[in-house]
């Protein structure tokens, strides 16, 4: 079958799955007075439309955004409108980026590239949050992906412009900013700071500053307004973490209630230090040896460090880690699929609250089947395929019998999947005990956190041990 | 780990396809469902709460039991599972009851019973010879056939959105066809007899079965030139076939015969009081006939040849099903449609008798019977086009000519199902799925037959491409024009007439290919 027809079929399949998920309930459906993210987005439309008045959206039903009187507005046609906007944003920004990215992959057959597109498009986490819970993550993730594409293909200015747009759309994208910064800085160093590199540095700085100014121009009118925006964007007053999230602080607080013991500013300092320490090695390595491959892996480890150790993290932020992992799906299919499954699982309490059980289970199974058949993941668990060869060789210098790493990893995978499945079953069928009403969510977060810690170590190993063979292997980039 | 790897990654593409489409069906659970949902809930209630003697008399709801007894027993079996989901749905007086658990149960029952369809597809794939195939998996005829059947657009939206139980019924039919291909005639006959007593619409294709079994099974040998050898007739085979059919019918209708309810059952099964056309005209010959009648009457009125007072006011394309008179052309009676259908079927049946070509010939005759009945039948539902599209898939991976006919038939047939889903949230689903199936089927069949002449001539390409603008006009432009209030039936009329042209063309092309095929002596062994 011709390549573009197959690609069209894959994209149509992705779109169909997205739209059918959107037929389900959304966050906060029918739950006054707070409602949920759906109401939040509608409210923001209300605000931006009414204050100050813009002419563009007048032809759409004004009842949906009438100031004040449309609080908590819920109707079928409005739901259709909101869902359609998500689909269109996805179609215009995220999906073309995915297709272009997979087509630019090297040393892979066309069929594998298309299979890659299918797997990325079927990633359950993004579909469930954007089309189920209701958010517009595909816009920011799409822009970030355009950024990655641009920077990897040496279109640095366009790439950084796209990434600035991503940050200005959603400040969560700052999780990805350090790798971008280090990679581009590394490129400048490599080109020599006395010549081309310096020119590139200047050009990049100008692009970034210009795009930021353009986005923030309407809000620079007063200092107080700018500060207010910053306060809203970075709500440090809201505490170390909110609700149940699969990061270190929440899991640690099972044993020791940090939030109550330490004062606010100490919490901020500790979280800052841990985050910085955990991402520093990879970033330094990227600055000294910039390569697209290293860039991708550093994106993963940086975002994961931020997710695990940062301040006021939401469970949806795992999507920021999932996007780079999707990008390395073709290089380490087994581990990536495992990670993406865990990331969806970690959001289970949120998805159950939105009554998205069946779509979650179905999309997770579909994703798993797609990855398993496209990449034959269970056959790719040797040391070399897990990118752990150089690491294992180094360890074997001290421990000659260290050959059992793939075995261990396979067993860990089995244990992880079985516990995830069991916990899902338990959460859905049983009631938690009276004294511990949050037992199941806490268990889910704790387990996911353990998995994520393992992945943090794994990805950092890949990055750090990649240098030994970096100059020898011709096919890394 | 390796064993899991082989199972998951290595060879079992069929399971992956079946599982994939099942997951898609699960995602379609919250979509719109038609009144057929209430129909089946009502039948669950009737069969569960009332004794057998009342099944065909119960009329609390307008959706009375109008399928043969085996289907009633099927609903009875389902109702015993239903009571664990929601007891309330089994109350006959709970009209339009659709709690979330009821919805879940009904949807899952359709998905679950589709397992028979999956099995039948598996068996059909065995009957395809893959000698033409390339090394690539996605270019093998078996793979293409599996996708065309398992992921069939029409079946997906009729069963899993609109809500019906066609999956396992078509499973029975395809299984019986597969058995005939495998020369297991008795099983094939048995399965078809059972199928008839599940849904009597399959009577459309009964002549094909009857003639084929008589000609190729009861007569055990042919003369060298292909004609019948009268002295090879086997009474034993005839009697055993008859016995099978008789026993199945006895099992089905026996209880009602004993209760003296046979006339009532038959009147429920064949309600001729309904009009020539369903609410939305099925895209058959009568749709063209009605359209012509309307056009002529409009012209006649303009030219003052007709008296406006003599024209009946009711419009045939409104949402109601009623008896109707034509204005210019002669009115059509059920008898007239029966005669037309029989005349349309006769040539193909004669071909089957005089030029038997083994199971392939039988399949072509079956499709022609289904299509002819669709084109000329009384009160045909547009869903009946699936009766022709699904078996045609089996032929499409064999010959380029058949592939071309299949593509025209399936694309127009599937498009004609669009008016079934008229709600806004389902609009993207039907367009996306239709595009998915159409692009895949055209692309894969073109690749399979790339060494032969192109599948479509310019006229056919133009016609198929015209479906796009038609859809845009009917669903996106027309609702915003002023005609919507004055002539609300125009999109339905246009869809129906446009598709009728395509379906009639496909029927005609298939007939020509059947009639002009050389007899069996000169063709390869099937």
């Amino acid at each position: 079958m011709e390549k573009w027809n197959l690609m069209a079929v894959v994209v149509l399949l992705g779109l169909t799955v997205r739209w059918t998920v959107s037929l389900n309930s959304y966050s906060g459906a029918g739950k006054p007075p707070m409602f949920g993210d759906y109401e939040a987005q509608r409210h923001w439309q209300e605000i931006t439309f009414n204050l100050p008045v813009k002419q563009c959206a007048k032809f759409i039903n004004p009842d949906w955004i009438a100031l004040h009187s449309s609080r908590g507005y819920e109707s079928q046609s409005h739901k259709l409108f909101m869902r359609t906007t998500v689909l269109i944003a996805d179609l215009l920004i995220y999906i073309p980026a995915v297709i272009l990215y997979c087509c630019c992959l090297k040393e892979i057959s066309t069929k594998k590239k298309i299979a890659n597109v299918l797997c990325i498009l079927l990633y359950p986490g993004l579909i469930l949050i954007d089309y189920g819970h209701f958010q517009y993550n595909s816009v920011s993730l799409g822009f970030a992906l355009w950024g990655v594409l641009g920077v990897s293909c040496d279109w640095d200015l366009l790439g950084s412009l796209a990434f600035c747009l991503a940050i200005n759309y959603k400040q969560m994208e700052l999780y990805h900013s350090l790798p971008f910064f280090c990679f581009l800085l590394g490129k400048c160093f490599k080109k020599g700071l006395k010549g081309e590199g310096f020119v590139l540095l200047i050009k990049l700085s100008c692009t970034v500053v210009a795009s930021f100014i353009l986005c923030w121009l309407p809000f620079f009118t007063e200092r107080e307004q700018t500060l207010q925006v910053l306060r809203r964007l970075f709500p440090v007053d809201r505490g170390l973490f909110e609700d149940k999230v699969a990061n270190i602080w929440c899991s640690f607080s099972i044993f020791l209630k940090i939030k109550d013991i330490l004062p606010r500013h100490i919490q901020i300092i500790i979280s800052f230090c841990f985050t910085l320490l955990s991402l520093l090695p990879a970033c330094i390595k990227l600055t000294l040896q910039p390569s697209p491959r290293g860039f991708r892996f550093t994106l993963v480890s940086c975002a994961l460090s931020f997710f695990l150790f940062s301040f006021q993290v939401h469970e949806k932020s795992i999507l920021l880690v999932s996007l780079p992992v999707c990008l390395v799906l073709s290089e380490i299919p087994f581990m990536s699929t495992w990670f993406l499954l865990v990331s969806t699982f970690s959001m289970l309490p949120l998805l159950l609250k939105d009554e998205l059980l069946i779509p979650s289970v179905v999309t997770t199974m579909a994703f798993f089947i797609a990855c398993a058949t496209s990449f034959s993941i269970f056959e790719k668990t040797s040391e070399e395929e897990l990118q752990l060869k150089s690491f294992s060789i180094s360890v074997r210098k001290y421990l000659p019998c260290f050959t059992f790493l793939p075995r261990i990893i396979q067993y860990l995978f089995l244990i992880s999947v079985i516990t995830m499945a069991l916990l899902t079953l338990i959460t859905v069928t049983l009631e938690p005990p009276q004294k511990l009403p949050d037992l199941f969510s806490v268990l889910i977060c704790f387990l996911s956190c353990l998995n994520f810690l393992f992945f943090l170590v794994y990805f950092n190993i890949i990055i750090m041990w990649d240098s030994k063979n970096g100059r020898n292997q011709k096919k890394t980039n | 780990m390796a064993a899991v790897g082989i199972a998951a990654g290595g060879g079992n593409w069929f399971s992956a396809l079946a599982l994939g489409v099942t997951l898609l069906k699960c995602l379609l659970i919250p979509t719109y469902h038609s009144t057929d949902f209430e129909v089946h809930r009502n039948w669950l209630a009737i069969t569960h709460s009332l004794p057998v003697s009342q099944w065909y008399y119960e009329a609390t709801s307008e959706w009375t039991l109008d399928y043969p007894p085996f289907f009633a027993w099927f609903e009875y079996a389902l109702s015993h599972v239903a009571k664990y989901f929601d007891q309330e749905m089994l109350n006959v007086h709970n009209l339009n009851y659709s709690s979330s658990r009821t919805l879940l149960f009904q949807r899952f029952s359709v998905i679950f019973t589709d397992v028979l369809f999956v099995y039948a597809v598996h068996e059909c794939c065995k009957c395809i010879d893959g000698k033409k195939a390339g090394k690539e998996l996605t270019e093998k005829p078996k793979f293409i056939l599996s996708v065309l059947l398992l992921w069939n657009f029409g079946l997906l939206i009729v069963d899993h959105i609109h809500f019906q139980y066609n999956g396992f019924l078509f499973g029975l039919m395809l299984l019986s066809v597969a058995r005939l291909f495998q020369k297991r005639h008795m099983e094939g006959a048995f399965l078809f007899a059972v199928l008839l007593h599940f849904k009597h619409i399959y009577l459309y294709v009964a002549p094909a079965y009857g003639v084929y079994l008589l000609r190729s099974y009861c007569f055990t040998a042919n003369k060298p030139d292909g004609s019948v050898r009268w002295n090879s007739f086997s009474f034993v085979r005839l009697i055993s076939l008859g016995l099978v059919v008789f026993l199945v019918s006895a099992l089905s209708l026996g209880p009602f015969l004993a209760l003296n309810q046979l006339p009532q059952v038959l009147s429920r099964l064949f309600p001729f009081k309904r009009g020539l056309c369903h609410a939305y005209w099925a895209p058959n010959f009568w749709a063209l006939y009605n359209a012509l009648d309307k056009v002529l009457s409009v012209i006649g009125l303009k030219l003052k040849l007709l008296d406006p007072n003599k024209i009946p006011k009711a419009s045939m394309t409104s949402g109601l099903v009623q008896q109707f008179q034509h204005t210019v052309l002669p009115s059509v009676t059920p008898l007239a449609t029966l005669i037309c259908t029989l005349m349309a079927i006769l040539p193909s049946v004669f071909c089957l008798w005089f030029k038997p070509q083994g199971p392939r010939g039988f399949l072509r005759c079956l499709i022609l019977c289904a299509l002819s009945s669709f084109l000329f039948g009384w009160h045909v539902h547009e869903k009946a086009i699936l009766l022709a599209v699904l078996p045609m898939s089996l032929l499409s991976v064999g010959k380029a000519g058949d592939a071309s006919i299949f593509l025209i038939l399936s694309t127009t047939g599937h498009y004609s199902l669009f008016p079934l889903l008229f709600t806004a949230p389902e609009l993207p689903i039907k367009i996306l799925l239709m595009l998915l199936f159409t692009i895949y089927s055209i692309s894969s069949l073109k690749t399979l037959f790339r060494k032969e002449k192109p599948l479509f001539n310019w006229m056919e390409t133009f016609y198929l491409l015209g479906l796009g603008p038609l859809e845009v006009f009917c669903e996106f432009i027309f609702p915003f024009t002023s005609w919507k209030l004055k002539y609300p039936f125009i999109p339905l009329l246009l869809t129906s007439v446009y598709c009728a042209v395509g379906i009639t063309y496909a029927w005609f092309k298939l007939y020509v290919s059947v009639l002009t095929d050389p007899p069996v002596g000169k063709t390869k062994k099937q």
Side-chain angles (χ1 to χ4, degrees):
Chain A
M1 235 178 96
E2 294 118 21
K3 173 183 171 194
W4 288 112
N5 286 328
L6 195 55
M7 185 69 89
V9 166
V10 161
V11 170
L12 286 169
L13 203 57
L15 289 173
T16 309
V17 172
R18 281 159 161 73
W19 188 262
T20 47
V21 169
S22 77
L23 293 173
N24 289 282
S25 175
Y26 45 79
S27 128
K31 291 183 191 148
M34 280 294 290
F35 294 99
D37 268 330
Y38 180 85
E39 165 64 13
Q41 306 285 345
R42 190 215 55 77
H43 182 61
W44 297 347
Q45 287 172 12
E46 173 193 334
I47 297 177
T48 49
F49 176 81
N50 287 300
L51 333 151
V53 176
K54 286 195 183 92
Q55 305 295 322
C56 48
K58 271 225 170 99
F59 73 96
I60 306 176
N61 190 341
D63 282 345
W64 294 346
I65 36 180
L67 190 56
H68 299 309
S69 63
S70 64
R71 292 289 150 81
Y73 187 91
E74 290 182 290
S75 87
Q76 272 298 97
S77 49
H78 184 228
K79 180 180 173 190
L80 199 60
F81 165 72
M82 300 280 270
R83 296 293 196 201
T84 314
T85 53
V86 180
L87 188 72
I88 293 180
D90 209 349
L91 200 52
L92 288 176
I93 304 176
Y94 181 69
I95 293 182
V98 171
I99 296 176
L100 201 56
Y101 177 80
C102 291
C103 289
C104 293
L105 286 173
K106 300 189 176 70
E107 285 161 29
I108 304 183
S109 70
T110 315
K111 281 253 147 71
K112 277 257 146 60
K113 287 185 189 173
I114 298 180
N116 210 356
V117 172
L118 179 68
C119 293
I120 298 182
L121 286 184
L122 281 182
Y123 168 58
L126 187 57
I127 299 179
L128 291 166
I129 294 295
D130 268 16
Y131 291 89
H133 181 80
F134 198 90
Q135 277 202 336
Y136 288 95
N137 289 307
S138 53
V139 177
S140 61
L141 291 176
F143 278 129
L145 189 48
W146 282 112
V148 171
L149 252 176
V151 160
S152 305
C153 297
D154 285 327
W155 299 332
D156 296 324
L157 294 181
L158 287 173
S160 31
L161 177 66
F163 186 65
C164 290
L165 286 175
I167 297 183
N168 283 307
Y169 181 83
K170 204 156 184 181
Q171 73 276 25
M172 284 294 164
E173 283 294 329
L174 283 170
Y175 283 17
H176 291 152
S177 53
L178 264 174
F180 269 91
F181 177 70
C182 295
F183 185 50
L184 289 169
L185 196 61
K187 271 195 183 179
C188 294
F189 283 159
K190 212 165 155 188
K191 290 200 172 148
L193 260 188
K194 302 251 162 86
E196 265 184 51
F198 191 63
V199 174
L200 185 59
L201 191 61
I202 298 291
K203 278 200 236 174
L204 285 170
S205 332
C206 290
T207 316
V208 171
V209 171
S211 44
F212 265 83
I213 289 180
L214 232 84
C215 290
W216 284 65
L217 206 52
F219 302 98
F220 275 157
T221 48
E222 295 170 1
R223 187 172 173 272
E224 181 55 36
Q225 192 171 40
T226 320
L227 281 178
Q228 178 66 351
V229 175
L230 284 171
R231 240 174 265 139
R232 285 283 180 91
L233 287 178
F234 302 103
V236 287
D237 293 332
R238 280 162 76 175
L240 191 56
F241 59 85
E242 209 171 287
D243 221 354
K244 306 284 171 290
V245 64
N247 79 353
I248 291 289
W249 309 126
C250 182
S251 310
F252 200 64
S253 71
I254 298 176
F255 309 111
L256 191 68
K257 297 263 178 256
I258 317 176
K259 264 166 110 166
D260 304 330
I261 298 181
L262 298 169
R264 180 64 52 77
H265 60 275
I266 303 271
Q267 291 172 16
I268 297 183
I269 293 177
I270 290 186
S271 115
F272 177 75
C273 289
F274 268 89
T275 318
L276 198 61
L277 282 172
S278 60
L279 54 82
L280 219 46
C283 286
I284 293 179
K285 168 105 188 282
L286 185 62
T287 318
L288 296 174
Q289 288 174 7
S291 70
R293 189 183 133 93
F295 176 51
R296 287 194 287 269
F297 282 109
T298 313
L299 275 171
V300 177
S301 78
C302 253
L304 195 49
S305 305
F306 267 104
F307 179 82
L308 284 172
F309 298 107
S310 176
F311 210 77
Q312 185 61 223
V313 173
H314 290 260
E315 65 263 285
K316 299 191 259 334
S317 309
I318 197 64
L319 291 177
L320 290 160
V321 191
S322 304
L323 176 71
V325 174
C326 284
L327 299 183
V328 299
L329 195 55
S330 53
E331 295 173 55
I332 33 168
F334 177 69
M335 298 299 278
S336 310
T337 312
W338 182 4
F339 179 88
L340 293 170
L341 287 173
V342 176
S343 67
T344 314
F345 172 74
S346 70
M347 294 190 284
L348 191 65
L350 181 70
L351 298 171
L352 286 179
K353 221 182 347 173
D354 296 332
E355 292 163 35
L356 291 171
L357 173 65
I358 292 183
S360 313
V361 170
V362 168
T363 44
T364 308
M365 282 175 68
F367 173 73
F368 184 63
I369 293 173
C371 288
T373 46
S374 313
F375 295 109
S376 316
I377 53 175
F378 295 112
E379 290 160 19
K380 295 211 172 128
T381 50
S382 70
E383 265 179 19
E384 189 172 305
E385 266 146 6
L386 292 175
Q387 312 285 344
L388 288 174
K389 199 161 184 126
S390 22
F391 171 69
S392 309
I393 292 176
S394 316
V395 175
R396 272 198 280 272
K397 285 191 195 147
Y398 306 100
L399 276 171
C401 56
F402 189 71
T403 49
F404 41 78
L405 195 55
R407 254 295 145 86
I408 293 185
I409 291 185
Q410 286 172 10
Y411 283 135
L412 283 176
F413 171 76
L414 270 169
I415 296 175
S416 169
V417 167
I418 292 177
T419 35
M420 287 200 289
L422 270 175
L423 207 49
T424 313
L425 205 61
I426 293 176
T427 318
V428 167
T429 45
L430 300 175
E431 287 289 324
Q434 288 276 19
K435 285 199 193 142
L436 305 163
D438 289 325
L439 178 67
F440 296 143
S441 335
V442 169
L443 274 175
I444 290 175
C445 291
F446 186 66
L447 242 123
S448 314
C449 185
L450 287 177
N451 276 290
F452 289 146
L453 275 170
F454 168 72
F455 280 109
L456 186 65
V457 170
Y458 170 76
F459 280 111
N460 272 300
I461 289 179
I462 294 187
I463 296 173
M464 301 315 291
W465 262 263
D466 201 30
S467 65
K468 296 263 161 75
N469 296 336
R471 272 159 254 158
N472 300 335
Q473 281 178 16
K474 292 249 166 88
K475 51 177 182 167
T476 40
N477 298 335
Chain B
M1 211 69 175
V4 181
I6 291 172
N12 229 332
W13 52 267
F14 188 81
S15 312
L17 282 177
L19 206 53
V21 79
T22 310
L23 291 172
L24 181 63
K25 291 171 189 172
C26 290
L27 282 178
L28 292 175
I29 288 179
T31 51
Y32 151 84
H33 53 79
S34 67
T35 49
D36 273 332
F37 182 84
E38 165 62 14
V39 169
H40 289 278
R41 186 216 60 79
N42 188 39
W43 294 356
L44 279 174
I46 291 179
T47 52
H48 190 87
S49 333
L50 299 173
V52 177
S53 56
Q54 297 218 4
W55 285 0
Y56 283 94
Y57 281 94
E58 172 59 36
T60 313
S61 159
E62 56 177 316
W63 310 116
T64 55
L65 188 58
D66 57 3
Y67 276 18
F70 276 176
F71 201 89
W73 289 108
F74 167 72
E75 294 275 10
Y76 178 68
L78 277 182
S79 70
H80 284 287
V81 182
K83 66 184 182 208
Y84 296 110
F85 279 76
D86 189 345
Q87 191 77 16
E88 291 299 308
M89 75 171 107
L90 300 173
N91 185 339
V92 179
H93 298 283
N94 271 345
L95 297 182
N96 292 311
Y97 184 76
S98 59
S99 69
S100 59
R101 297 188 126 210
T102 312
L103 183 72
L104 214 59
F105 168 72
Q106 297 253 62
R107 291 282 195 207
F108 272 126
S109 65
V110 184
I111 297 174
F112 183 71
T113 50
D114 269 358
V115 70
L116 184 56
F117 184 70
V118 171
Y119 175 66
V121 172
H122 185 78
E123 291 292 304
C124 283
C125 286
K126 287 195 213 160
C127 306
I128 305 289
D129 82 28
K131 282 182 223 136
K132 221 193 264 264
K135 298 258 173 60
E136 184 74 55
L137 170 69
T138 52
E139 288 183 17
K140 291 207 165 91
K142 286 189 209 275
F143 182 84
I144 298 178
L145 180 65
S146 306
V147 177
L148 290 180
L149 284 173
L150 288 173
W151 288 72
N152 185 289
F153 169 79
L155 206 54
L156 270 175
I157 66 166
V158 169
D159 265 19
H160 300 278
I161 301 184
H162 182 83
F163 197 86
Q164 275 204 333
Y165 283 92
N166 292 308
F168 84 96
L169 294 172
F170 278 111
L172 276 174
M173 185 172 101
L174 288 177
L175 197 57
S176 81
V177 168
R179 292 290 179 249
L180 291 179
F181 265 84
Q182 293 163 353
K183 308 250 184 273
R184 286 150 75 166
H185 297 93
M186 290 293 283
E187 286 182 45
F190 169 72
L191 287 166
F192 184 68
V194 168
L195 177 64
L196 273 184
H197 287 280
F198 264 106
K199 195 166 176 180
H200 50 296
I201 202 176
Y202 293 92
L203 273 174
Y204 284 177
V205 301
Y209 273 88
V211 172
Y212 175 70
L213 286 170
L214 194 58
R215 174 70 180 81
S216 302
Y217 182 61
C218 296
F219 288 98
T220 47
N222 291 338
K223 290 200 192 127
D225 66 351
S227 65
V228 64
R229 181 175 286 193
W230 292 98
N231 57 8
S232 69
F233 184 73
S234 158
F235 257 115
V236 176
R237 290 189 169 183
L238 181 67
I239 297 291
S240 45
L241 276 179
L243 209 63
V244 161
V245 174
F246 175 73
L247 282 174
V248 171
S249 310
L251 198 63
S252 155
L253 298 170
F256 298 96
L257 196 61
L259 292 165
N260 271 330
Q261 288 185 356
L262 208 57
Q264 170 70 358
V265 173
L266 289 175
S267 77
R268 283 285 181 88
L269 257 54
F270 300 101
F272 274 99
K273 288 217 184 64
R274 298 191 190 161
L276 170 66
C277 286
H278 194 46
Y280 151 61
W281 302 348
N284 62 7
F285 177 78
W286 305 123
L288 293 172
Y289 191 83
N290 291 342
L292 186 62
D293 183 67
K294 260 209 169 356
V295 163
L296 287 177
S297 69
V298 165
I299 295 179
L301 276 176
K302 284 263 159 70
L303 296 178
K304 308 259 193 284
L305 293 169
L306 297 171
D307 181 5
N309 297 325
K310 291 203 192 126
I311 296 180
K313 289 282 179 198
S315 157
M316 209 188 259
T317 44
S318 67
L320 306 164
V321 171
Q322 50 192 317
Q323 299 264 22
F324 201 75
Q325 304 285 346
H326 288 94
T327 42
V328 175
L329 300 170
S331 285
V332 182
T333 62
L335 189 61
T337 62
L338 188 63
I339 294 176
C340 287
T341 314
L342 285 176
M343 281 182 6
I345 291 181
L346 235 43
S348 62
V349 164
F350 277 174
C351 255
L352 190 59
W353 179 270
F354 290 112
K355 286 197 302 180
Q357 301 199 345
R360 266 221 128 69
F362 155 70
L363 193 54
R364 299 164 90 102
C365 180
L366 185 148
I367 297 167
L368 279 172
C369 284
L371 264 181
S372 310
S373 314
F374 178 83
L375 281 175
F376 297 103
W378 178 268
H379 199 82
V380 173
H381 285 240
E382 61 282 338
K383 305 182 214 97
I385 195 64
L386 290 177
L387 223 79
V389 170
L390 286 172
M392 188 81 210
S393 320
L394 286 163
L395 288 181
S396 68
V397 291
K399 262 167 56 175
D402 287 341
S404 156
I405 299 174
F406 166 75
L407 287 171
I408 299 176
L409 185 64
S410 69
T411 314
T412 28
H414 288 161
Y415 181 75
S416 72
L417 295 172
F418 267 33
L420 281 177
L421 302 181
F422 49 83
T423 46
E426 277 66 37
L427 178 64
I429 299 180
K430 73 184 183 195
I431 293 182
L432 289 170
L433 283 177
M434 173 86 187
L435 282 174
L436 191 74
F437 185 81
T438 314
I439 292 180
Y440 178 79
S441 56
I442 294 182
S443 181
S444 58
L445 286 174
K446 268 198 171 155
T447 313
L448 186 62
F449 294 114
R450 61 179 173 274
K451 296 197 182 117
E452 313 191 24
K453 65 177 178 31
L455 290 181
F456 299 128
N457 59 32
W458 66 268
M459 208 171 54
E460 293 162 352
T461 316
F462 202 63
Y463 173 80
L464 286 178
L465 286 174
L467 287 173
L470 181 65
E471 166 68 6
V472 167
F473 174 75
C474 287
E475 301 239 35
F476 295 101
I477 299 182
F478 184 81
F480 297 108
T481 60
S482 58
W483 291 333
K484 184 166 166 64
L485 292 166
K486 242 172 116 191
Y487 307 110
F489 54 83
I490 283 193
L492 292 181
L493 193 144
L494 284 175
T495 310
S496 165
V497 169
Y498 195 87
C499 294
V501 169
I503 294 177
T504 316
Y505 175 76
W507 169 77
F508 187 70
K509 232 179 144 180
L510 185 60
Y511 237 125
V512 165
S513 101
V514 164
L515 291 173
T516 55
D517 245 359
V520 74
K522 296 175 191 147
T523 56
K524 283 192 277 200
K525 191 164 191 274
Q526 295 296 334

